[in-house]
Amino acid sequence: MTKRIEKEINGIKISLDEDVVEIYDEVVRHRRYFHQNPEPSLKEYNTCAYIRSELEKEGIDYIGVGQTGTLAIIRGEKDLESRDRREISGSPLLTDQRVKGVRTILLRGDIDALELNDDKNIEYSSINKGLCHACGHDAHAASLLGAAKILNRRRGEFGGIVKLAFQQAEEIGAGARQFVKAGHLDDVDFVFGTHLASNIEVGKLGVTEGPQSASCDIFKIRVLGQGAHASTPHLGRDAVVATSNIVLELQNIVSRQIGPLDEGLISIGKIWSGTRYNVVASEGVIEGTVRTFSQETREFILERVETIAELTAKIHGCSIEFENYDAAAPLINQKEKTLYYQEIANQIVGEDNVIRDLEKSLGAEDFADYLAVVPGTFIKVGSKSSSKNSYPHHHNLFDIDERCLYIETQSYVDLVTKTLI
């Protein structure tokens, strides 16, 4: 049994495994390397090479996923069949039907950075101009590397299989689906992911059931009209008028076509039409996004966007071309697995420091693609303790209180060691 150590972080008593404390400096080193060497989505080549080199040092098996993703695999050495036939006294976690039958767990840590300048003047500031780890993915990857090392060395203490997904391209919603499409979730019983939160004090964990992040669809409507001289508009088909009316009509979907207790958002971020003042425009373009917290509402709104655009354009003698990029599904934490993990979180940071009612976010998170096929939960790890580390995510001064790495690493380790026993 690994010794547990109590450590005070930001005035909060945290319970940590001895080996998590011992590996902390190494995890910080990983995090600072990633932070100093950020890479954009789908181009995380050096990040990928670094991760694989660290896995090889520990003799951990891995396979590539896409060009820059890595799936590490650790096989526990205990017999899980006997676990499911016995009652284990002393812990409600271990007698809980919610985890009986769990054989394979997937842990996710994303690795991509943002195309954003790093304006911090610190020793580990980005050396890659125009790129910055301003969302915490450097910490996620570092903590997962630390957890991989610990779990591999303790594989005699648990059974089943642990998959560790060092996932590319979360920022563009293109990474998780590569793992799903390749079949790496087919045998998984529990998916688990973490994300730092610069609006939550370090020492606290957000573990909330139900919808947490909205879906994200990015649509483009091309309006096709017919040009003419501005003095003879009746000879043309005015794409400016059609485009403008489509924008106005789309606003009625949320206010009048979905239930008032339902939740949905349509935002138009770009509109363009015309070439000069005295020409009836022959083309217009609308670009926007749809965000919802349910798949049903998402599908309804997208259908209405296309239909309303088509019919409105037709009224003005125009036609449309509609395209949509599915960036992420709604992220919905499964109830049973989330309530189960709340009990684990209690043991790390104490019951009073587990936030069970985090406010939903209209920002998207592609971990939702895992939760769409396997039950699990996605938690938030507090990372702020002062003004220096409370900048919002995607800000060019974003940084963290690195003591959150203790908690993030322990969060990964505890799920495995308290479940696959």
Side-chain angles (χ1 to χ4, degrees):
M1 179 73 70
T2 302
K3 182 180 177 182
R4 206 77 166 183
I5 296 173
E6 190 175 273
K7 192 174 187 67
E8 186 170 304
I9 297 176
N10 198 34
I12 298 172
K13 292 181 179 179
I14 310 296
S15 177
L16 301 167
D17 286 338
E18 187 175 27
D19 47 6
V20 170
V21 175
E22 290 172 351
I23 205 175
Y24 173 73
D25 288 342
E26 183 177 327
V27 174
V28 170
R29 175 174 58 81
H30 294 326
R31 185 257 166 173
R32 292 188 177 189
Y33 173 84
F34 294 139
H35 197 88
Q36 195 167 34
N37 297 272
E39 296 178 290
S41 300
L42 299 177
K43 297 180 181 179
E44 310 94 334
Y45 300 109
N46 291 331
T47 304
C48 173
Y50 181 96
I51 289 167
R52 293 180 182 182
S53 175
E54 292 298 317
L55 294 172
E56 289 166 5
K57 290 177 185 177
E58 292 298 314
I60 299 173
D61 293 336
Y62 66 83
I63 57 176
V65 181
Q67 291 189 3
T68 53
T70 301
L71 183 72
I73 302 169
I74 300 172
R75 294 172 175 83
E77 297 172 350
K78 288 185 69 174
D79 175 21
L80 283 182
E81 293 297 332
S82 63
R83 177 202 71 171
D84 287 350
R85 290 194 299 267
R86 73 183 189 273
E87 289 293 316
I88 304 175
S89 62
S91 172
L93 288 173
L94 305 181
T95 58
D96 201 314
Q97 294 292 330
R98 293 173 292 189
V99 296
K100 286 190 175 182
V102 172
R103 296 289 193 280
T104 302
I105 292 174
L106 183 140
L107 310 175
R108 195 289 297 265
D110 38 14
I111 66 173
D112 54 329
L114 289 156
E115 291 165 321
L116 176 75
N117 284 326
D118 185 354
D119 290 343
K120 299 186 299 296
N121 183 21
I122 53 177
E123 61 178 297
Y124 52 88
S125 296
S126 171
I127 61 174
N128 296 336
K129 187 175 180 180
L131 292 168
C132 179
H133 267 295
C135 200
H137 297 188
D138 52 341
H140 307 160
S143 296
L144 192 58
L145 263 181
K149 183 174 183 176
I150 290 169
L151 292 171
N152 188 55
R153 293 183 175 187
R154 288 164 58 180
R155 61 188 180 274
E157 300 177 16
F158 62 88
I161 296 173
V162 183
K163 295 184 174 183
L164 303 100
F166 295 90
Q167 182 212 296
Q168 69 277 44
E170 187 281 327
E171 292 291 356
I172 62 171
R177 63 190 55 182
Q178 292 190 43
F179 283 78
V180 174
K181 186 176 181 180
H184 297 307
L185 279 291
D186 291 352
D187 62 344
V188 173
D189 305 303
F190 197 148
V191 291
F192 178 74
T194 68
H195 203 296
L196 299 190
S198 65
N199 62 334
I200 298 176
E201 296 286 339
V202 65
K204 295 180 182 289
L205 287 172
V207 190
T208 303
E209 65 174 281
Q212 283 296 285
S213 295
S215 62
C216 178
D217 290 279
I218 305 167
F219 64 83
K220 182 176 182 177
I221 302 167
R222 185 172 175 226
V223 181
L224 305 174
Q226 180 178 308
H229 195 281
S231 65
T232 56
H234 59 291
L235 299 179
R237 299 289 182 267
D238 196 336
V240 165
V241 175
T243 300
S244 301
N245 277 276
I246 290 170
V247 171
L248 293 175
E249 290 300 325
L250 293 182
Q251 305 309 308
N252 293 321
I253 296 174
V254 172
S255 66
R256 286 295 178 267
Q257 298 188 31
I258 67 172
L261 299 182
D262 205 345
E263 295 172 299
L265 171 74
I266 302 173
S267 283
I268 306 300
K270 181 178 178 180
I271 179 171
W272 165 88
S273 187
T275 56
R276 57 177 286 142
Y277 78 97
N278 62 347
V279 175
V280 172
S282 61
E283 183 179 355
V285 174
I286 301 165
E287 295 182 18
T289 183
V290 170
R291 308 289 175 108
T292 71
F293 290 105
S294 80
Q295 190 63 27
E296 294 77 13
T297 303
R298 180 189 192 191
E299 292 171 359
F300 174 80
I301 291 179
L302 285 171
E303 184 278 327
R304 296 307 297 157
V305 167
E306 183 174 7
T307 299
I308 287 173
E310 181 179 11
L311 294 176
T312 304
K314 188 175 182 180
I315 290 172
H316 297 281
C318 299
S319 60
I320 69 157
E321 294 175 352
F322 180 82
E323 60 185 75
N324 181 64
Y325 174 63
D326 170 6
L331 189 152
I332 303 172
N333 279 337
Q334 197 250 4
K335 181 178 180 179
E336 287 77 15
K337 296 294 187 289
T338 303
L339 295 179
Y340 170 76
Y341 196 81
Q342 285 176 359
E343 298 175 37
I344 292 178
N346 291 346
Q347 297 178 21
I348 301 173
V349 299
E351 187 171 356
D352 291 343
N353 296 304
V354 177
I355 305 169
R356 295 166 174 79
D357 57 353
L358 283 176
E359 185 177 357
K360 298 192 292 281
S361 168
L362 285 165
E365 163 58 62
D366 83 346
F367 189 82
D369 291 335
Y370 300 127
L371 287 171
V373 295
V374 177
T377 194
F378 185 72
I379 73 167
K380 297 292 181 70
V381 180
S383 64
K384 79 167 182 178
S385 60
S386 71
S387 60
K388 292 190 299 184
N389 46 53
S390 60
Y391 288 100
H393 293 249
H394 295 212
H395 192 286
N396 53 13
L397 292 175
F398 179 87
D399 204 358
I400 64 173
D401 182 324
E402 290 180 321
R403 293 177 297 173
C404 69
L405 299 172
Y406 282 117
I407 300 167
E408 188 168 27
T409 304
Q410 189 70 60
S411 296
Y412 287 126
V413 170
D414 267 2
L415 176 64
V416 174
T417 58
K418 294 182 181 296
T419 304
L420 296 180
I421 64 168

